[in-house]
């Protein structure tokens, strides 16, 4: 049953299985295990970024395509949902058609980029996607009459997904069963379904062909596969999944702006998560996104505690001062690349083998 659910792609490592189960259980019961607004926000962000990072790994790890336009597709999905909710009101119909429209527009953009650019060499394709993503971000910022410009869009979502809605009055294990909790589980289950769909895609004949194209495009084309078609299809699928992740972020935040969806910082974070977790395996997206977002959220607090504990040692307390958390985040990334060159998942599977 488990192998069928995972499309035959089992973790193949007892430690990896334990880590993945830990992440799954923590996210599934986050509102009850880690009560508080900050922990719930972190869990929701991890769920969304698992989908986003996995969709990028579908492009980079399985198809061997380097793209810097992934945040553009992420933003298209978020703005599609945001515009639908802000123009036609906070209804479920607005959520459905806004999400569908965002995914469709992202697919069309990806199809155009793939057909016109994937015939060039990898580095030139990466530069094309960077230029397109930068132009799109500028366009979104300048269309303030529609997108809110740099300020972004604030909008309402259906009342059943807001804290004002109470499903039951009594608390369950000290947690209020309100619309915020329902919104979290909408994000969690939607993310889980999208992840399983991508797992099925990469373990299908299409996914195996993508690996062949990645490893040797010339040989794949020589035996009859249309390399450009497969790369374009991978680009479109990756863009649709990224757009759906953007829609989930728009529903959760009830705000969409360039800084939350289109910034180059998010693109760099996605790349780091893929490298940390391991390219060419979607399980790497789970571990990479979880570790990176936890470090982003809590590393500064941990360093504050360490600075207080070492206040008697001037140099050491200065070194672990909270304002230097980005420095230590960079050090942790360098160490992870040094000790896990194939990513955490690759190292664990190699150790098992």
């Amino acid at each position: 049953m488990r192998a069928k659910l995972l499309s035959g792609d089992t973790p193949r490592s007892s430690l990896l299985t334990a880590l993945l189960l830990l992440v799954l259980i923590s996210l599934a019961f986050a509102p009850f295990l880690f009560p508080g607004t900050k922990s719930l926000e972190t869990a929701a962000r991890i769920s969304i970024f698992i989908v986003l990072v996995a969709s990028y790994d579908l492009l980079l790890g399985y198809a061997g395509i380097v793209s810097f336009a992934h945040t553009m597709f992420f933003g298209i999905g978020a703005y599609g949902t945001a515009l639908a909710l802000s123009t036609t009101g906070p209804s479920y119909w607005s959520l459905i058609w806004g999400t569908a429209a965002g995914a469709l527009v992202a697919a069309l953009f990806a199809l155009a980029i793939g057909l016109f650019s994937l015939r060039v060499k990898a580095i030139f394709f990466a530069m094309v996607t960077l230029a397109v993503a930068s132009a799109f971000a500028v366009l979104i910022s300048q269309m303030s009459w529609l997108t809110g410009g740099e300020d972004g869009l604030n909008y309402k979502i259906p009342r059943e997904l807001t804290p004002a809605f109470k499903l039951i009055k009594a608390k369950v294990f000290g947690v209020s069963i309100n619309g915020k909790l329902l919104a979290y589980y909408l994000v969690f289950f939607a993310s889980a379904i999208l992840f399983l769909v991508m797992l099925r895609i990469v373990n299908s004949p299409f996914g195996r062909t993508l690996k062949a194209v990645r490893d040797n495009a010339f040989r794949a084309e020589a035996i009859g596969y249309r390399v450009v078609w497969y790369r374009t299809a991978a680009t479109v699928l990756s863009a649709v999944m990224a757009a759906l992740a953007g829609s989930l972020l728009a529903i959760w935040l009830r705000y969409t702006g360039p800084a939350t969806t289109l910034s180059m910082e998010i693109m760099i974070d996605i790349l780091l998560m893929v490298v940390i977790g391991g390219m060419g395996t979607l399980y790497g997206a789970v571990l990479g996104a979880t570790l990176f977002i936890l470090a982003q959220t809590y590393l500064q607090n941990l360093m504050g505690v360490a600075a207080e504990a070492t206040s008697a040692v001037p140099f050491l307390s200065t070194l672990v001062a909270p304002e230097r958390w980005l420095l230590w985040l960079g050090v942790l990334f360098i160490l992870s690349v040094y000790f896990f060159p194939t990513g955490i998942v690759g190292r664990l599977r190699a150790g098992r083998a």
Side-chain angles (χ1 to χ4, degrees), residues 85-107:
L85 289 169
S86 60
T87 55
T88 59
S91 66
Y92 291 104
W93 171 242
S94 299
L95 283 180
I96 294 171
W97 80 258
T99 301
L104 178 61
V105 172

Side-chain angles (χ1 to χ4, degrees), residues 1 6 27 49 52 55-56 64 108 111 130 134 193 202 206 211 215 250 264 295 304 319:
M1 178 64 183
L6 299 177
L27 292 178
F49 268 79
L52 181 61
S55 67
Y56 189 69
L108 292 176
L111 181 63
L130 179 60
S134 300
I193 292 170
V202 299
F206 172 80
K211 293 180 184 178
D215 294 338
M264 184 53 63
L319 194 61

Side-chain angles (χ1 to χ4, degrees), residues 41-202:
E41 292 284 342
T42 303
R45 194 159 172 257
I46 289 173
S47 299
I48 293 168
F49 268 79
I50 285 174
V51 176
L52 181 61
V53 175
S55 67
Y56 189 69
D57 194 39
L58 176 64
L59 195 64
L60 178 63
Y62 286 89
I65 299 171
V66 180
S67 170
F68 293 109
H70 213 61
T71 50
M72 180 182 75
F73 304 130
F74 186 53
I76 288 173
Y79 272 101
T81 303
L83 288 172
L85 289 169
S86 60
T87 55
T88 59
S91 66
Y92 291 104
W93 171 242
S94 299
L95 283 180
I96 294 171
W97 80 258
T99 301
L104 178 61
V105 172
L108 292 176
F109 267 78
L111 181 63
I113 292 173
L115 290 178
F116 289 104
S117 305
L118 277 173
R119 295 181 185 274
V120 301
K121 292 183 179 180
I123 185 62
F124 297 109
F125 176 76
M127 292 300 100
V128 169
T129 58
L130 179 60
V132 172
S134 300
F136 184 81
V138 172
L139 181 65
I140 290 295
S141 298
Q142 291 182 348
M143 295 175 65
S144 56
W145 56 273
L146 179 65
T147 63
E150 293 291 341
D151 295 329
L153 292 172
N154 288 290
Y155 43 85
K156 295 181 179 179
I157 60 174
R159 185 175 180 275
E160 291 78 10
L161 300 177
T162 63
F165 176 76
K166 302 289 184 182
L167 186 63
I168 57 175
K169 292 183 179 179
K171 291 186 176 182
V172 177
F173 299 110
V175 177
S176 298
I177 309 302
N178 56 19
K180 189 73 171 179
L181 187 69
L182 297 180
Y184 172 75
Y185 279 109
L186 171 65
V187 169
F188 171 75
F189 283 113
S191 299
I193 292 170
L194 291 175
F195 181 82
L196 292 176
V197 168
M198 283 188 281
L199 202 60
R200 182 70 193 109
I201 290 172
V202 299

Side-chain angles (χ1 to χ4, degrees), residues 228-351:
V228 173
W229 186 90
Y230 277 95
R231 285 177 171 171
T232 303
T235 304
V236 171
L237 287 172
S238 175
V240 169
M241 291 298 175
L244 293 175
S247 296
L248 291 177
L249 183 70
I251 294 169
W252 177 253
L253 291 182
R254 289 181 288 172
Y255 166 81
T256 297
T260 59
T261 56
L262 298 172
S263 70
M264 184 53 63
E265 291 180 5
I266 298 176
M267 187 68 245
I268 295 172
D269 289 348
I270 295 171
L271 281 168
L272 294 178
M273 293 176 202
V274 170
V275 173
I276 291 170
M279 291 188 292
T281 166
L282 295 188
Y283 295 124
V286 177
L287 297 184
T290 301
L291 291 175
F292 191 86
I293 291 175
L294 286 177
Q296 271 190 329
T297 307
Y298 295 108
L299 182 60
Q300 190 171 11
N301 295 338
L302 291 175
M303 290 181 63
V305 173
E308 290 182 5
T310 58
S311 57
V313 186
F315 176 75
L316 187 58
S317 62
T318 303
L319 194 61
V320 297
E323 59 269 18
R324 290 181 172 79
W325 73 276
L326 276 175
L327 169 66
W328 286 105
L329 185 63
V331 170
L332 290 174
F333 172 69
I334 293 171
L335 292 176
S336 67
V337 172
Y338 182 78
F339 290 105
F340 303 98
T342 57
I344 296 173
V345 173
R347 181 62 181 270
L348 292 177
R349 283 181 167 176

